[in-house]
């Protein structure tokens, strides 16, 4: 089983999300091949007029690209190939301003390619990643449930992205409220236990 861990953790060793990632990696270590993609070190390309035009011509119109156009899509294609090769994808990031950080959104924009991870047929949109699983690991300073659930656009967006691509099983673990009160360590510990439960359920 091949696992891809994609993370954006700008707070480094102080990141609460990193503690969840570490729990996942340590618990599954030695059992599976784990590949890491650190979006701090390898920043995804953002959509520009140039790479968007190349993508539309190739993936929608079926046209051959020039070498210059191919170069505009190199990072998109590299990340997509790596993404498709994984049986399980883990994404890890903190919530910033009610959503995922820009680098993580750019990553999803890179790998959500027509004809690669999703497509269109006579019945409409179809995900091409069936049989694969995804785990979303996040943390947030506040708590976004009940009347504040409408503020949450990080985990919810990631779930939509994975679901659109056809992932069979998408789970999430979030350490919410880590900037509220004095029980921060307990919040993280409980989230770590939830990560272990997912690992056990998936028999990783």
């Amino acid at each position: 089983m091949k696992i891809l861990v994609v993370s954006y953790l700008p707070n480094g060793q102080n990141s609460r999300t990193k503690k969840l990632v570490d729990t996942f990696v340590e618990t599954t270590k030695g059992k599976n091949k784990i590949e890491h993609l650190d979006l701090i070190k390898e920043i995804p390309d953002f959509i520009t007029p140039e790479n968007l035009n190349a993508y539309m011509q190739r993936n929608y119109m079926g046209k051959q690209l020039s070498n210059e156009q191919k170069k505009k899509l190199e990072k998109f294609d590299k990340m997509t190939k790596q993404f498709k090769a994984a049986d399980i994808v883990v994404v890890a990031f903190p919530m910033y301003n009610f959503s995922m950080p820009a680098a993580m959104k750019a990553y999803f924009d890179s790998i959500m390619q027509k004809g690669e991870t999703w497509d269109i047929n006579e019945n409409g949109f179809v995900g091409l990643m069936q049989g694969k699983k995804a785990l979303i690991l996040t943390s947030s300073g506040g708590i976004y449930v009940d009347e504040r659930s409408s503020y949450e656009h990080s985990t919810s967006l990631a779930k939509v992205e994975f679901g659109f691509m056809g992932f069979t099983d998408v789970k999430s673990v979030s350490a919410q409220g880590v900037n509220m009160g004095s029980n921060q360590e307990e919040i993280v510990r409980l989230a770590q236990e939830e990560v272990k439960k997912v690992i056990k359920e998936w028999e990783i």
Side-chain angles (χ1 to χ4, degrees), residues 19-32:
K19 295 181 186 298
L20 306 187
V21 177
D22 290 345
T23 297
F24 180 89
V25 172
E26 290 165 8
T27 307
T28 58
K29 187 167 56 179
K31 302 176 185 177
N32 303 279

Side-chain angles (χ1 to χ4, degrees), residues 76-84 110-111 113 116:
F76 279 44
D77 292 344
K78 177 184 176 182
M79 290 184 172
T80 301
K81 182 179 179 180
Q82 181 188 47
F83 182 81
K84 290 176 63 178
S110 297
I111 53 87
Q113 293 197 34
E116 296 292 338

Side-chain angles (χ1 to χ4, degrees), residues 35-51:
E35 187 173 2
H36 295 264
L37 175 59
D38 184 349
L39 300 183
I40 298 288
K41 298 177 180 177
E42 189 166 355
I43 301 172
D45 284 344
F46 287 82
I47 294 175
T48 66
E50 292 77 19
N51 59 36

Side-chain angles (χ1 to χ4, degrees), residues 131-173:
K132 298 179 183 290
K133 299 174 181 178
L135 176 60
I136 305 157
L137 302 178
T138 64
S139 62
S140 62
I143 297 175
Y144 298 92
V145 296
D146 299 329
E147 68 273 9
R148 291 183 63 84
S149 60
S150 62
Y151 286 72
E152 201 290 306
H153 301 286
S154 55
T155 297
S156 57
L157 177 56
K159 285 181 176 179
V160 169
E161 307 268 24
F162 281 122
F164 185 79
M165 290 184 285
F167 275 73
T168 303
D169 195 352
V170 181
K171 297 189 182 301
S172 65
V173 177

Side-chain angles (χ1 to χ4, degrees), residues 69-135:
Q69 287 177 310
K70 290 177 182 178
K71 194 169 183 180
K72 296 293 183 184
L73 296 176
E74 276 184 356
K75 189 177 285 189
F76 279 44
D77 292 344
K78 177 184 176 182
M79 290 184 172
T80 301
K81 182 179 179 180
Q82 181 188 47
F83 182 81
K84 290 176 63 178
D87 300 297
I88 296 175
V89 177
V90 180
V91 293
F93 54 88
M95 174 196 275
Y96 283 157
N97 301 315
F98 312 118
S99 190
M100 61 177 65
M104 186 59 69
K105 179 59 169 65
Y107 176 73
F108 276 108
D109 289 343
S110 297
I111 53 87
M112 288 188 67
Q113 293 197 34
K114 180 183 182 297
E116 296 292 338
T117 55
W118 67 275
D119 214 333
I120 304 173
N121 62 22
E122 63 277 5
N123 297 316
F125 297 112
V126 57
L128 301 179
M129 304 294 284
Q130 292 94 346
K132 298 179 183 290
K133 299 174 181 178
L135 176 60

